[in-house]
Amino acid sequence: MTRTQVLEVIGSDRDEQALVDAIDFDRLPRHVAVIMDGNGRWAKSRFLPRLEGHRAGVESVRSTVETAARLGLEALTVYAFSTENWKRPTDEVSGLMGLLKLYIRRELKTLQTNNIRFGVVGGLDGLPKDVQDELRRGIAETAHLTGLQFSLALNYSGRSELTDVVRRIALEARAGTLDPTTIDEATIEKRLFTAHLPEPDLLIRTSGELRVSNFLLWQIAYAEIWVTDVLWPDFRRRHLLQAIADFQKRERRYGGITAAGSRA
Ligand code: IPE
Ligand code: IPE
Ligand code: MG
């Protein structure tokens, strides 16, 4: 997508236009990962039940996916439910699962129209059967699409992902199908949920928390972290544009001494 096309979509909002102008389209992050946080606080500040915060957060997901696709990003991965989130009250968990189903049902057409390939990062098998069915349908019906790779991280945690990888490698070694002396970073990377994606360049966290909460631990080794106090249900296109504009001002050194240290 060209700058003009992006501007057409953005319309007359001057602040957003200025942000688009500030973005260098040749240096976009390839993969943006987002820890969507603050739904509960958003609801609380309005004297609403927590689930209303999650419901409002769906609109932010929609807006973020649309903007990412229009900008021409390769991948967007959003943390929607961690393995630790099972600790929450059952009505909140089932409410979240219901919203997930609804999201796929309502958005599948739009994802398809926008050439977006949908995926899940995490233990899909551990989700309720009806939710799994809906997600698998979304995955199957967008599998051939070639635009933005949009993934929901669900029933995901970085430590459990890595633990699974270690277990599988050990089993392969025991079975004699893998020579342990050949294990390198690629051996691990190939077995991650994100094996098909570039590593995240930019990690966004909303609601001001300065932690990674077990998200993509291996993958974010060199991601630029951008934290905003904005609560997830208030996150909109301009925030993503701002994050990208700020990302482009960072000097990525990868342990070297110049900004040129591109590992590509
Ligand atoms: C993020 O919002 C959504 C999920 C973790 C499912 P929270 O529900 O964590 O909102 P806060 O952190 O309580 O405000
Ligand atoms: C992180 O948010 C997980 C998701 C966004 C799904 P949490 O609200 O669960 O994380 P903590 O508890 O603040 O670390
Ligand atoms: Mg939270």
Side-chain angles (χ1 to χ4, degrees):
M1 170 127 337
T2 64
R3 186 184 304 274
T4 326
Q5 283 168 312
V6 175
L7 279 171
E8 269 168 25
V9 180
I10 282 173
S12 56
D13 186 308
R14 295 184 72 91
D15 291 345
E16 289 183 358
Q17 283 195 14
L19 283 168
V20 173
D21 278 337
I23 289 172
D24 176 353
F25 279 70
D26 294 326
R27 288 195 311 117
L28 289 172
R30 294 179 65 191
H31 182 176
V32 175
V34 185
I35 302 174
M36 314 187 285
D37 200 10
N39 296 353
R41 277 161 281 175
W42 184 92
K44 191 169 181 220
S45 72
R46 286 165 176 73
F47 306 102
L48 293 168
R50 291 180 59 86
L51 195 60
E52 289 308 314
H54 299 314
R55 190 165 288 139
V58 176
E59 197 45 48
S60 309
V61 174
R62 205 173 277 139
S63 158
T64 304
V65 171
E66 187 198 9
T67 310
R70 298 215 188 280
L71 286 169
L73 303 189
E74 273 177 61
L76 172 74
T77 303
V78 303
Y79 205 5
F81 195 85
S82 73
T83 53
E84 288 78 17
N85 289 148
W86 294 111
K87 287 190 252 180
R88 296 190 179 196
T90 40
D91 59 339
E92 181 172 350
V93 172
S94 58
L96 278 165
M97 294 299 150
L99 280 177
L100 258 172
K101 258 170 53 176
L102 207 62
Y103 173 80
I104 298 296
R105 261 191 225 149
R106 292 214 180 126
E107 290 304 303
L108 189 52
K109 275 259 148 6
T110 314
L111 296 178
Q112 287 168 319
T113 320
N114 291 297
N115 197 24
I116 297 169
R117 183 173 172 188
F118 173 71
V120 169
V121 163
L124 189 49
D125 294 341
L127 296 170
K129 179 74 173 63
D130 54 334
V131 179
Q132 276 188 49
D133 290 346
E134 209 65 54
L135 293 165
R136 289 190 203 281
R137 192 167 66 88
I139 294 167
E141 293 185 14
T142 61
H144 59 292
L145 299 175
T146 55
L148 176 74
Q149 306 219 41
F150 166 53
S151 312
L152 283 176
L154 290 170
N155 189 22
Y156 175 86
S157 92
R159 284 186 180 176
S160 63
E161 174 181 46
L162 290 168
T163 307
D164 280 349
V165 168
V166 170
R167 187 183 308 108
R168 270 185 284 146
I169 289 177
L171 287 170
E172 287 173 48
R174 188 175 66 179
T177 53
L178 176 81
D179 173 1
T181 63
T182 65
I183 293 171
D184 58 10
E185 292 188 6
T187 316
I188 294 161
E189 263 155 16
K190 269 192 271 185
R191 288 165 177 80
L192 297 171
F193 289 119
T194 51
H196 58 297
L197 301 172
E199 68 186 53
D201 308 291
L202 172 59
L203 172 69
I204 295 174
R205 182 162 189 153
T206 59
S207 86
E209 306 295 355
L210 299 175
R211 53 179 173 259
V212 293
S213 300
N214 218 345
F215 191 37
L216 301 176
L217 295 181
W218 173 282
Q219 297 89 334
I220 60 170
Y222 274 102
E224 293 295 330
I225 301 179
W226 191 84
V227 177
T228 174
D229 285 337
V230 170
L231 303 174
W232 179 251
D234 293 324
F235 191 91
R236 283 297 177 274
R237 178 161 57 203
R238 65 182 178 284
H239 302 111
L240 179 59
L241 295 172
Q242 185 68 61
I244 293 173
D246 290 351
F247 163 84
Q248 291 185 332
K249 290 182 206 135
R250 308 262 184 101
E251 188 189 357
R252 303 184 79 190
R253 289 191 290 268
Y254 300 103
I257 54 173
T258 64
S262 163
R263 306 196 313 157

